[in-house]
Amino acid sequence: MAEYSRRSFLKGSALVGAAGAMGLAAGCGTSGAGGFEGYVPGDYTAEVSGHNAPFTVKVSFTKHALGDIDASGSQESLGVGKSAIGTLSHAIVKSQSLACDAVTGASITSAALLQGVKDCASQAGDTSELEAAAGPVDDVMDEYEADVCVVGGGGAGLAAAISAAQAGARVVVMEKCGILGGSTNVSEGALNAVDPERQEKQGIEDSVETFYEATLEGGHNEGTPELVHFLTDNALDSVHWMESVGVRFKDEVGSATGSLGQRSHYPATPYGNAYIRAFQRYIEDTGATVQIVDETAAQTLVTDASGAVTGVMGLHRSGKEVTVKAPAVVIATGGFGANVAYRQEVNTGVWKDVVLDDRIGCTNIKPCAQGDGLKLAEGAGAALTGLADIQLHPCGTPGTGLMEDIRTSGRNRIFVNKDGDRFVSEGAARDALCKAIFAQPESTYWVVVNVLRYPSPITPDRNGATIENMLAQKHIVAADTLEELAAATGMDPAKLKASIDAYNAIVDGSQEDEFGFKADNTADAQMTEGPWYACRKVPTVHHTMGGIKINVESQAVDDGGNPIAGLYACGECTGGIHGSNRLGGNAICDCMTFGRNAGKNAAEYAGATA
């Protein structure tokens, strides 16, 4: 049986702090090798361009060793860039080498840190020793044993892993990237659930039946009713379960973009990585029998003579083959939105008239969302369903498709085209929003906000972004007046002002919106004063609603609905839940609700077969 240890869990996780903060120090290096005469002792700094904003790398050197790396002031994303900085800093200091691989899933941040350390070493006198030294040796094992193997360490996978551990199972999580969290990490964290305790305080009338109907109808009545019922009936239990393992939610609910209802729960600290950090803390603090094997991509499912799944074979990035023996496997690998060839192949649904090639980005981390889990399940006999149901999101960044900077969700914002005209209800469903955007000049638009959303340029929004950093990266346009904003963006100033005036009239109730936007007098306010900010957006592939066919037990099933023995699936890699359009806030609800379900049922199955 594989050894479960604190070290093995921390490997590759966001809990590894910056090397400087941990006080990591290396032993003395070898002096004199290759003419190396040592460093000039001291602290050196270098400015590098990160993924989110420029940051400073500070490195201390003794005569013969790199002693400390500190990049704690970076604004890289929690659980992604920040995690990579901690993991990579540790590796550099421990190995006294720059021959350390970038953390899969955070390549830009990794490259920036490595460049910063190299620049500091050059200032200290010599880079040859760090460049010549061998990198760290990976300590992944050839074989692991567990009761449940979870393939994928995102939100759904970690929920399944914890749920399985709570049911008494020993769990191994096989994760392709060097960071945990997947798409949940970079989401805004919205989770839909009917929650009388919160909603009644806000005067919100809601019911589980209303939530069910909104989900089914929002998916154009193409979702599987029993799966939709399971999702909406058990969503609040997911909120309570997450709170029991350390997640803190805000006291008030909101409405995610395209949620079709005010029932979206948000974490108390910025975005979806708050869930991942809470899950990691829970595993660490409780000693839950969950081991993470990261940087390892699952290749095939192992089956016995009867066709039952009995494990997973994977490939570590070092080239080593890794096998996990387990009587139950949960696939939680996310969708296929970043697999351009595959998404074009199956794009016969709502977006069949849109070419989803690499000109259309994806909100997911590119090494993820490749559809790996679908191929694994299909190879074991599971059916796939709803593959043409691909969702686009209106909050894409031009060129990458990532959801960054000023977000489209929330309140007190308007959407205008390149001329300055409003063209859609900001509260419309996501497919309606994207169709309206494609009809605009150059298939793009601006989201415009003002001081209501950003009272201070240095105060982070709920996603951890600041106006100051967005401006430093030249991702947004800022102006004191609407006239100046129009000039900076190329909009017609009269049209932009008319759009703002019309929006304000809708908010104060003196005018009905021609596009159907309904103001909320508890959340919306008139936008009247600068500073004003505009961020250009494009549609981007956000979610693939199709995937592995499952039943309400989260078992993967074949075309006839027969379960594949030992195989479970949850999260975005599954199909049949959301129909042809997913409501904003329903993805994380899905991950947590079916993740808990898959983990518990997989553990029970493993126990029954032991």
Side-chain angles (χ1 to χ4, degrees):
M1 189 62 59
E3 177 185 357
Y4 294 85
S5 69
R6 183 175 191 275
R7 181 199 57 76
S8 63
F9 173 74
L10 289 178
K11 182 180 182 296
S13 82
L15 292 182
V16 181
M22 293 173 65
L24 293 170
C28 292
T30 303
S31 63
F36 178 67
E37 297 180 356
Y39 304 108
V40 177
D43 295 335
Y44 300 88
T45 61
E47 293 294 318
V48 296
S49 181
H51 183 278
N52 294 348
F55 65 89
T56 301
V57 179
K58 179 181 177 182
V59 184
S60 64
F61 290 88
T62 63
K63 174 70 173 176
H64 298 296
L66 181 159
D68 207 52
I69 300 172
D70 181 7
S72 57
S74 83
Q75 296 298 311
E76 301 300 87
S77 300
L78 290 169
V80 186
K82 282 188 179 293
S83 176
I85 287 172
T87 300
L88 192 53
S89 294
H90 189 175
I92 294 168
V93 175
K94 183 177 181 180
S95 64
Q96 293 292 289
S97 173
L98 288 172
C100 297
D101 291 329
V103 176
T104 308
S107 57
I108 293 175
T109 304
S110 298
L113 181 71
L114 285 165
Q115 184 62 51
V117 174
K118 183 177 179 180
D119 290 349
C120 289
S122 179
Q123 295 172 50
D126 198 335
T127 64
S128 62
E129 190 81 346
L130 289 176
E131 291 180 303
V137 178
D138 289 304
D139 58 357
V140 66
M141 298 191 299
D142 296 326
E143 186 174 290
Y144 298 81
E145 292 185 11
D147 300 311
V148 176
C149 178
V150 178
V151 183
L158 291 180
I162 292 173
S163 180
Q166 288 176 331
R170 299 161 301 165
V171 184
V172 168
V173 177
M174 183 180 287
E175 168 55 44
K176 182 178 182 179
C177 290
I179 52 179
L180 294 175
S183 297
T184 302
N185 242 342
V186 294
S187 74
E188 291 193 350
L191 188 165
N192 290 340
V194 176
D195 187 342
E197 182 179 354
R198 286 178 170 86
Q199 290 174 307
E200 288 177 5
K201 293 177 183 177
Q202 295 175 247
I204 300 167
E205 293 185 9
D206 200 6
S207 69
V208 172
E209 186 61 26
T210 299
F211 183 20
Y212 168 79
E213 293 293 341
T215 299
L216 196 62
E217 293 174 10
H220 307 301
N221 294 302
E222 294 180 15
T224 306
E226 54 265 39
L227 295 178
V228 178
H229 264 304
F230 189 88
L231 177 78
T232 57
D233 291 351
N234 293 281
L236 184 58
D237 288 340
S238 292
V239 170
H240 292 158
W241 176 82
M242 293 170 74
E243 290 174 327
S244 76
V245 298
V247 171
R248 291 191 306 113
F249 289 98
K250 292 182 178 180
D251 292 334
E252 296 184 343
V253 296
S255 53
T257 303
S259 64
L260 305 185
Q262 195 168 350
R263 60 179 72 91
S264 303
H265 295 64
Y266 288 94
T269 52
Y271 65 99
N273 179 252
Y275 304 144
I276 305 305
R277 296 198 306 275
F279 291 163
Q280 290 176 306
R281 284 193 298 267
Y282 176 84
I283 293 171
E284 177 64 12
D285 293 347
T286 64
T289 52
V290 177
Q291 185 172 17
I292 309 297
V293 180
D294 64 1
E295 299 282 8
T296 303
Q299 302 290 299
T300 57
L301 296 180
V302 181
T303 57
D304 64 16
S306 70
V309 173
T310 59
V312 183
M313 291 185 64
L315 187 67
H316 188 262
R317 73 173 178 187
S318 64
K320 179 184 289 188
E321 291 185 351
V322 178
T323 299
V324 179
K325 295 181 177 180
V329 172
V330 178
I331 298 178
T333 52
F336 57 86
N339 189 328
V340 175
Y342 190 66
R343 76 191 190 197
Q344 290 191 89
E345 178 185 335
V346 301
N347 183 30
T348 59
V350 66
W351 301 112
K352 63 180 183 295
D353 296 327
V354 177
V355 179
L356 298 181
D357 59 15
D358 54 13
R359 291 173 296 179
I360 302 290
C362 180
T363 63
N364 304 118
I365 299 172
K366 284 191 175 181
C368 308
Q370 295 292 326
D372 298 342
L374 280 62
K375 299 169 189 174
L376 291 173
E378 196 173 27
L384 305 182
T385 183
L387 297 180
D389 297 329
I390 297 172
Q391 183 176 71
L392 305 187
H393 195 290
C395 193
T397 298
T400 67
L402 296 174
M403 286 202 297
E404 300 174 304
D405 308 313
I406 298 171
R407 304 298 176 92
T408 56
S409 60
R411 317 298 295 192
N412 303 312
R413 85 285 194 223
I414 65 167
F415 301 165
V416 295
N417 63 22
K418 65 189 296 286
D419 296 323
D421 290 317
R422 279 185 72 240
F423 58 92
V424 70
S425 165
E426 288 81 359
R430 290 173 176 178
D431 55 350
L433 287 167
C434 290
K435 287 178 181 178
I437 296 163
F438 282 126
Q440 302 310 302
E442 300 178 17
S443 299
T444 188
Y445 73 107
W446 296 88
V447 55
V448 177
V449 300
N450 72 338
V451 69
L452 288 174
R453 282 278 287 261
Y454 291 94
S456 165
I458 61 173
T459 301
D461 61 19
R462 72 185 185 193
N463 303 297
T466 68
I467 289 293
E468 184 178 66
N469 284 336
M470 288 185 263
L471 287 171
Q473 297 289 79
K474 299 181 180 179
H475 289 176
I476 66 170
V477 175
D480 291 328
T481 67
L482 283 176
E483 290 76 15
E484 292 172 350
L485 189 71
T489 57
M491 289 186 249
D492 182 323
K495 289 183 176 181
L496 177 58
K497 186 176 186 304
S499 293
I500 293 290
D501 289 343
Y503 175 83
N504 287 340
I506 296 162
V507 171
D508 72 15
S510 63
Q511 178 178 313
E512 287 192 4
D513 183 25
E514 61 178 307
F515 304 110
F517 178 73
K518 303 293 184 183
D520 181 344
N521 59 16
T522 67
D524 293 309
Q526 291 186 320
M527 299 167 63
T528 59
E529 299 179 2
W532 297 89
Y533 307 105
C535 186
R536 195 163 71 86
K537 298 289 184 181
V538 293
T540 179
V541 175
H542 182 53
H543 194 97
T544 48
M545 282 79 73
I548 303 165
K549 191 174 182 179
I550 61 170
N551 58 24
V552 292
E553 302 299 321
S554 294
Q555 294 171 297
V557 300
D558 63 17
D559 281 321
N562 305 300
I564 307 299
L567 186 60
Y568 299 79
C570 57
E572 194 180 345
C573 68
T574 65
I577 299 170
H578 304 287
S580 58
N581 177 63
R582 177 182 62 79
L583 302 191
N586 269 11
I588 291 180
C589 176
D590 171 9
C591 289
M592 301 306 158
T593 302
F594 282 93
R596 292 189 300 118
N597 190 45
K600 176 179 69 69
N601 291 331
E604 291 175 356
Y605 173 85
T609 58

